[in-house]
Amino acid sequence: MSVPRAAVRPAAVRRKVESWLAEQDEADAIVLLARPQWNDEPVLTVAGRTVRVVPCPTPLAARAALADRPPHEKLVLLTDLTDNELGDGLLAHVSLQQGRSVDPWDLVSQTFGGQVRPDSTLVRTGRWVADALTELAPAVGWPPPTGTILTRDHALRHLAGTVLGLEPDGLDAAGLLQWSTDAPAQMRLGDLPVEWIDGIGTFLVDVAGPVAVPVLAAVRTGHGVDAIPLGLLAGVLWPRDSAQSSDVELAVARTRLEPRFAGTRLTETQAWAYTEAAEAWIYRALDDEAVRHDAHRILRRAEDIAEEIGVAGRLAASPLLPAGFTQRMCAFGAAVRFSLPVAGPAVPAGDLIERAQERLAEVEAHRSADRTRVETARMAVRLLRWLATPEQQPPATMLDAVHRQIREDGWVDRARLDVFDGDVDQMVGDAYRVLHQAVHARRSRHDRQFAELFQDATGAERDPGALLRVEDVLDRVIQPIIDNGRRVLLLVLDGMGAAAGIEIAESLVRSGTWTELTPHGGQRTGVLAALPTVTAVNRCSLLSGMISVGDRSDELKGFAARFPDGVLLHKADLRTPAGLAVDREVAAAIEDPAVPVVAAVINAIDDALERSDPGTVEWSADTVKGLRDLLAIAQDRVVVMVSDHGHVVDRGSEAVVGKSESSENRWRPATGDPADGELLFRGTRVALADGELILPWQEELRYGPRKAGYHGGASPAEAVNPLLLFASGNDETVPGWSGAPVASPGWWREPLRQTAQADQPATAAPRTVAARPSRRPRALVQDESLFDLPAASIPPPLAGPPAPVDPASALVEALLASPVYADRRGIRAPIPDERVAAMITALLAGNGRATLETLATRAGVPVHRISATFTALRRLLQVEGYPVLSLDPDGRTAKLDIPLMIEQFVLAPS
């Protein structure tokens, strides 16, 4: 009797026919033992032959099919009858005179080249695999395995890759998410039998990890195209912070999300892996211009879904969603506002500043951050730290006041210009407004102190001493350099104050070509302008070497009188024809060894006061037109960069317009008494109005028409100009000048840490190690004693309570006394122990982290040498190749692995 058999799929029939035809059998029919059922097209074309498939439930049906066969067709008889039931007479007309079984795994082997045997694990996976591999096999068959065994991994990788449209090696989380962006590809998966979909999904979980669970669940419910947005939200709904994991609002939102995953409840492991994969996909897409638009569309879709499930207000937890950046900025703005007292002195509390620093770190870490807004936020935190520094005594001398502007308040000015420009968010903008008011109040006190000293120094006609005035630059700076055999390029950047000078100097040093030099390697100094602080007075005084007033022709005469062999270039001289960055005559003058000094006036900053907003421009070698080109051909000259005056920016609605008989913006004739914010100046350094005029020291006060910025007054932003000197290569090229230290004040670069000791790493007290002989203190010598007392006669010191031991200091001392350190000290390029101690101490104070600038400051290393010093320290500490000291990807933050240092140098108790 007939045997119950499974139905055969069209692909299986086709494979059996291909194998039959390849045998070159002359028979016209083949019997396949299968359920006599056929729902596909009855006529197939296989290898160029026409083949008809006929279900034959009875012998009579089989005989009828043979009798009715057209001469040009081959027959496939599907039957579940045995050979005995079919009979020898019928079998005599079919291939091999017998029925052939349809073994699905034989067909699978055939699709992989016919010379392979399925592994038992593949067979145990289920019949669905054989059917799928047979039906979905490419026309040329599947790629054969390397051996004779067809493994489960090889077969299912190629099957899943074909179904998803991915390379077999691309079946990972990234590949799945990329596939989820292709809606037609998802539809192709949905058209497959459910058993196939489930089996392929199980395999994908094995090879792609837990990410496959939510992605495939989303595809099944028709939300596959939202797989990446849902993955981004998973990081919000399943936070890694255990304190938030039981948040009711998040739990409700997770429940609302379940229908999009076919009711699947994600585990934390699945959700975290899902988020990491989705974020990685977005990171790659944002870096690829071809798909960047898709990334932004997906980010917007994630925010829409967050709104639908009620968590739009919790997106600050996402490091990618733009709304998350906005919320982080709002939290930062609130932290800034809370740092500032509502009443009383505007001295922020240290713990509140630390909170603002934490919020800033979150803002900085956001991938969708607006870089301009982030930089303004950094400036706001710097100003908070500055406000928290104790107010120093007013400067006692004019030189002290100039140095305060160059070394401290100029940095404040740089930061407050950004904060004054504000933020698009109203709450953040309000916080910045309050912060700016607090900063302005303190800076105004400084401005008044400066102006009063300036008034006194101008009227007293005192000898300047170490103070460098604008009329002294040629004699006291330029001439000594020339006398020592070096040629000079003097760049006069009209309008460059301390804040702009900071930016320009940073851009030059950052290029690596130029090294900043300062007097004897100390801090930067500045130049005091003449009065009023206008171009006609100060540029002419600078270029002639005496207090004078004049225009371009007067400057040329004065400069020629001082340097007959020098060349002075103005704006018109620096203009170039098409194709040339530097005019030929200008280049020839700079390259001419017979020209001791070339001076060039660059008006970019001063011009911005008329035509744009100088407060919003980041001044650099690129934004100061022509500067980079001149520097490129002047590398064999010492570059001296100075200005004739600085400037103040327009204060908008906060500006105060005073009464004046003249149209000048920041000075007026001495008629009447000075009003609030003004002082009367008299003396030989007052070059206009017969040596007597009234100048405002208050920055928001002006007299003339509104512009983007102003100069002429007595504020330090106008009257103090940075003196910047650069050399290419050797930092000892100018006698009396050496490599500059870090220029920024501590509050600019170093986070405030109220709990530095509490933040120290929890390390066991280092074991006591005998000091190296080379570190023994020398015996004290008494130069003029009459008698030598024996050591025993010296009374011992009185016993007292032991002094508390600083763990960081003890750890540093143990490191320097370590035998391992001594061994490495002997084979490495020497760094003085004092510098090693200073840098390690700085790193310990920062819980293992510090900027290179901080290390340079602590160790007394010129800023241009800190990279080499850091490299030497890293090699010194790198025992057996372990990275005790490393550099963050930002290229400016050092990281000390404290536990590893303790282990490698055997500093823990034995």
Side-chain angles (χ1 to χ4, degrees):
M1 58 182 298
S2 60
V3 178
R5 297 185 184 275
V8 67
R9 299 184 67 88
V13 172
R14 182 176 290 275
R15 295 301 176 193
K16 291 296 288 187
V17 171
E18 288 174 352
S19 176
W20 170 40
L21 295 178
E23 297 170 3
Q24 297 183 347
D25 189 348
E26 295 182 358
D28 295 322
I30 183 173
V31 173
L32 297 184
L33 301 178
R35 184 184 304 167
Q37 174 182 324
W38 186 254
N39 299 320
D40 208 53
E41 292 293 329
V43 178
L44 309 176
T45 300
V46 181
R49 301 297 300 272
T50 300
V51 180
R52 183 177 294 275
V53 181
V54 182
C56 300
T58 65
L60 183 60
R63 290 180 182 275
L66 288 171
D68 297 338
R69 180 187 70 83
H72 64 282
E73 287 186 352
K74 295 279 190 178
L75 282 182
V76 175
L77 306 179
L78 299 181
T79 183
D80 56 0
L81 299 172
T82 65
D83 287 352
N84 288 335
E85 289 173 321
L86 290 172
D88 291 341
L90 186 150
L91 292 175
H93 299 282
V94 302
S95 176
L96 300 182
Q97 291 79 50
Q98 63 180 5
R100 301 191 186 198
S101 63
V102 183
D103 187 332
W105 295 108
D106 288 343
L107 298 178
V108 169
S109 296
Q110 179 184 335
T111 61
F112 280 92
Q115 304 299 317
V116 298
R117 177 169 56 86
D119 183 48
S120 60
T121 56
L122 175 61
V123 175
R124 287 198 301 269
T125 303
R127 167 68 182 266
W128 72 267
V129 183
D131 291 341
L133 286 169
T134 301
E135 185 153 329
L136 301 179
V140 296
W142 298 107
T146 54
T148 60
I149 301 299
L150 178 61
T151 64
R152 176 178 180 270
D153 183 76
H154 182 86
L156 289 182
R157 273 190 181 276
H158 285 84
L159 174 62
T162 296
V163 169
L164 301 184
L166 299 173
E167 292 295 325
D169 293 336
L171 298 177
D172 52 16
L176 272 182
L177 290 177
Q178 182 62 42
W179 168 75
S180 75
T181 64
D182 186 349
Q186 296 178 39
M187 293 176 64
R188 288 194 295 271
L189 175 67
D191 291 338
L192 298 179
V194 173
E195 187 181 15
W196 294 16
I197 297 174
D198 292 341
I200 291 172
T202 300
F203 175 72
L204 288 174
V205 172
D206 292 342
V207 296
V211 176
V213 174
V215 172
L216 294 175
V219 170
R220 288 194 185 98
T221 59
H223 294 286
V225 292
D226 286 337
I228 299 175
L230 292 171
L232 297 175
L233 289 179
V236 177
L237 301 181
W238 281 270
R240 292 182 181 270
D241 182 1
S242 58
Q244 298 184 46
S245 59
S246 58
D247 188 302
V248 174
E249 184 181 2
L250 294 182
V252 171
R254 289 195 289 265
T255 302
R256 291 172 179 165
L257 205 63
E258 284 181 8
R260 300 172 192 259
F261 295 124
T264 301
R265 291 191 175 185
L266 301 186
T267 65
E268 286 186 338
T269 300
Q270 291 169 343
W272 293 344
Y274 190 18
T275 298
E276 289 176 3
E279 289 177 353
W281 190 95
I282 292 291
Y283 289 146
R284 290 191 297 271
L286 289 174
D287 290 335
D288 185 347
E289 189 173 352
V291 293
R292 191 173 300 154
H293 176 77
D294 292 335
H296 288 295
R297 175 184 55 78
I298 288 171
L299 292 174
R300 290 192 298 271
R301 178 58 183 152
E303 293 179 358
D304 291 342
I305 297 174
E307 188 72 38
E308 293 169 8
I309 63 176
V311 289
R314 305 293 294 268
L315 297 184
S318 168
L320 271 171
L321 297 177
F325 172 70
T326 299
Q327 292 173 18
R328 291 188 186 191
M329 280 297 300
C330 288
F332 170 74
V336 170
R337 182 64 189 87
F338 291 149
S339 298
L340 297 165
V342 177
V347 179
D351 58 335
L352 297 180
I353 295 178
E354 287 190 81
R355 186 177 303 172
Q357 290 174 161
E358 293 169 359
R359 300 292 83 79
L360 172 63
E362 293 168 357
V363 166
E364 291 175 322
H366 203 280
R367 180 61 189 266
S368 296
D370 181 321
R371 294 300 126 193
T372 300
R373 296 178 69 189
V374 171
E375 186 60 25
T376 302
R378 291 192 187 106
M379 296 299 182
V381 167
R382 285 164 171 160
L383 291 176
L384 285 175
R385 293 198 292 252
W386 176 69
L387 288 172
T389 59
E391 182 74 274
Q392 302 298 317
Q393 291 294 322
T397 66
M398 195 71 243
L399 179 61
D400 292 339
V402 167
H403 283 166
R404 179 169 69 176
Q405 175 64 16
I406 293 295
R407 301 170 183 177
E408 189 88 6
D409 287 354
W411 295 85
V412 175
D413 292 345
R414 180 186 176 190
R416 67 175 175 146
L417 286 172
D418 283 2
V419 170
F420 177 81
D421 209 38
D423 191 88
V424 295
D425 186 276
Q426 293 297 314
M427 190 178 79
V428 179
D430 287 342
Y432 286 172
R433 178 180 52 81
V434 175
L435 172 61
H436 188 273
Q437 289 172 346
V439 171
H440 179 64
R442 184 169 177 179
R443 278 290 285 110
S444 292
R445 292 195 296 273
H446 291 191
D447 288 350
R448 184 179 187 103
Q449 293 164 3
F450 174 89
E452 289 173 347
L453 280 171
F454 200 4
Q455 179 192 45
D456 176 68
T458 303
E461 305 281 357
R462 296 190 188 92
D463 183 272
L467 175 66
L468 191 64
R469 303 169 304 181
V470 68
E471 64 268 30
D472 301 328
V473 172
L474 296 185
D475 284 338
R476 295 174 57 183
V477 178
I478 305 302
Q479 189 61 54
I481 298 174
I482 296 173
D483 291 344
N484 281 283
R486 293 303 306 271
R487 295 177 299 136
V488 176
L489 174 62
L490 172 62
L491 297 174
V492 181
L493 274 66
D494 196 356
M496 179 183 70
I502 289 167
E503 295 176 338
I504 293 170
E506 282 183 353
S507 75
L508 264 63
V509 172
R510 192 166 51 241
S511 71
T513 302
W514 296 96
T515 299
E516 183 182 359
L517 308 182
T518 52
H520 305 291
Q523 291 293 320
R524 285 179 188 156
T525 190
V527 178
L528 183 66
L531 297 173
T533 52
V534 295
T535 302
V537 171
N538 282 279
R539 199 164 75 196
C540 196
S541 299
L542 169 66
L543 295 173
S544 61
M546 64 181 72
I547 296 294
S548 54
V549 182
D551 56 15
R552 177 177 180 275
S553 60
D554 298 307
E555 293 166 6
L556 287 168
K557 291 177 185 177
F559 189 77
R562 188 64 186 80
F563 295 106
D565 296 326
V567 174
L568 173 59
L569 306 166
H570 287 84
K571 181 190 293 187
D573 303 311
L574 298 174
R575 292 195 179 101
T576 60
L580 290 179
V582 179
D583 182 81
R584 288 188 176 87
E585 293 184 3
V586 173
I590 292 175
E591 295 167 357
D592 190 346
V595 178
V597 56
V598 175
V601 177
I602 300 178
N603 301 92
I605 300 174
D606 198 54
D607 288 348
L609 304 180
E610 297 283 347
R611 295 191 293 269
S612 62
D613 186 352
T616 60
V617 178
E618 182 175 348
W619 297 110
S620 69
D622 292 317
T623 56
V624 176
K625 183 175 175 56
L627 178 57
R628 183 174 294 281
D629 298 326
L630 290 173
L631 292 172
I633 61 173
Q635 295 185 20
D636 59 344
R637 288 181 179 263
V638 175
V639 174
V640 178
M641 198 175 295
V642 73
S643 177
D644 47 359
H645 57 76
H647 65 269
V648 295
V649 299
D650 182 72
R651 293 309 177 103
S653 60
E654 298 176 5
V656 178
V657 181
K659 295 180 179 180
S660 173
E661 298 174 0
S662 74
S663 60
E664 300 294 335
N665 268 299
R666 289 280 293 172
W667 67 274
R668 67 183 181 87
T671 56
D673 296 328
D676 289 342
E678 298 177 331
L679 288 175
L680 174 65
F681 286 79
R682 296 190 183 95
T684 57
R685 297 194 76 244
V686 179
L688 297 178
D690 297 326
E692 182 174 299
L693 45 74
I694 291 176
L695 301 176
W697 57 264
Q698 199 173 54
E699 291 188 352
E700 56 267 39
L701 179 59
R702 76 170 196 271
Y703 308 113
R706 183 177 182 181
K707 298 181 180 180
Y710 315 96
H711 55 88
S715 71
E718 299 162 281
V720 178
N721 313 313
L723 175 64
L724 304 172
L725 192 145
F726 302 93
S728 178
N730 185 6
D731 63 344
E732 302 294 337
T733 187
V734 181
W737 297 73
S738 299
V742 174
S744 58
W747 54 263
W748 180 269
R749 64 180 180 274
E750 297 180 23
L752 182 67
R753 295 186 179 90
Q754 288 291 102
T755 54
Q757 292 299 324
D759 288 341
Q760 289 292 331
T763 59
R767 63 176 182 156
T768 303
V769 181
R772 294 182 288 134
S774 60
R775 292 185 55 80
R776 283 202 305 264
R778 294 184 301 169
L780 296 176
V781 177
Q782 189 172 353
D783 293 330
E784 298 180 3
S785 66
L786 297 177
F787 304 96
D788 291 330
L789 297 178
S793 66
I794 302 176
L798 296 176
V805 178
D806 174 26
S809 299
L811 190 59
V812 172
E813 286 298 320
L815 172 68
L816 298 181
S818 162
V820 178
Y821 176 85
D823 290 343
R824 296 194 60 77
R825 186 80 171 76
I827 62 175
R828 298 294 171 196
I831 307 177
D833 284 353
E834 293 76 12
R835 283 188 173 170
V836 173
M839 289 189 283
I840 297 297
T841 300
L843 286 160
L844 292 174
N847 205 19
R849 299 178 69 85
T851 65
L852 294 183
E853 286 189 342
T854 295
L855 297 183
T857 302
R858 295 290 188 269
V861 177
V863 67
H864 71 284
R865 291 182 178 172
I866 186 56
S867 293
T869 303
F870 173 80
T871 300
L873 179 63
R874 180 165 57 183
R875 290 173 178 168
L876 178 65
L877 299 181
Q878 191 169 314
V879 180
E880 297 178 351
Y882 287 97
V884 172
L885 186 64
S886 59
L887 192 64
D888 267 4
D890 64 6
R892 56 183 297 272
T893 305
K895 182 179 179 181
L896 177 69
D897 190 328
I898 300 172
L900 184 58
M901 181 183 74
I902 292 173
E903 176 186 346
Q904 293 298 312
F905 288 89
V906 198
L907 306 181
S910 57

